[in-house]
Amino acid sequence: MDKYPLLDLFWTMLWFFLWIMWLFLLFKVIADILRSDDLGGWGKAGWLIVALLLPYVGVLVYVIVRGKSMGKRDVKEAQDREAAFKAYVREAAGASEAHAPKEGKHVDDLTKLAELKDRGAITDEEYQRAKTKLLV
């Protein structure tokens, strides 16, 4: 049985993890090439050919040349996803308000009335009349 010293194991694991990191970077670069709006079809094809035929050099050159805009595209995509999520939540919340019980519909109005009463803009009697009107 051959010996496999600890240092050899360390070097094997190091190279394995570096290879995995490079694969992640390669897929990230390919995804960025395909979603990039500022590249035309020929530009995308050229970068894909460089990245796939000369993988280590192609990925490194792409990150050097287009790394800054790559980050900007990531930020823009994250902002777009967040805006879409917020719009969905607002839409879903609006739909649930339409089916809410009558008492739940006027919470904002009651809060405004209480603020007006606290500021002295309306009297206790006016507050009670408006409150009764909202709840009935």
Side-chain angles (χ1 to χ4, degrees), residues 21-45:
M21 285 178 13
W22 174 80
L23 273 178
F24 274 102
L25 185 59
L26 175 67
F27 289 128
K28 176 81 172 154
V29 164
I30 289 173
D32 188 67
I33 290 170
L34 294 176
R35 74 169 182 213
S36 180
D37 291 335
D38 59 338
L39 283 177
W42 288 106
K44 289 179 183 183

Side-chain angles (χ1 to χ4, degrees), residues 96-128:
S96 67
E97 276 182 11
H99 301 294
K102 193 171 186 178
E103 295 84 22
K105 287 170 121 180
H106 303 295
V107 172
D108 290 335
D109 293 335
L110 287 172
T111 305
K112 290 175 187 173
L113 277 174
E115 287 174 2
L116 287 171
K117 181 182 148 202
D118 291 342
R119 285 188 293 180
I122 59 174
T123 64
D124 286 339
E125 185 180 299
E126 291 171 326
Y127 171 75
Q128 288 301 328

Side-chain angles (χ1 to χ4, degrees), residues 49-113:
I49 289 170
V50 169
L52 294 174
L53 293 182
L54 302 169
Y56 294 105
V57 174
V59 167
L60 185 62
V61 169
Y62 185 85
V63 170
I64 291 170
V65 172
R66 295 182 49 90
K68 193 178 226 179
S69 61
M70 190 173 167
K72 289 178 184 176
R73 279 188 293 280
D74 281 343
V75 169
K76 183 183 179 309
E77 184 178 337
Q79 289 171 341
D80 291 346
R81 272 193 309 242
E82 184 179 358
F85 175 73
K86 285 182 179 180
Y88 170 75
V89 168
R90 276 194 297 276
E91 179 183 325
S96 67
E97 276 182 11
H99 301 294
K102 193 171 186 178
E103 295 84 22
K105 287 170 121 180
H106 303 295
V107 172
D108 290 335
D109 293 335
L110 287 172
T111 305
K112 290 175 187 173
L113 277 174

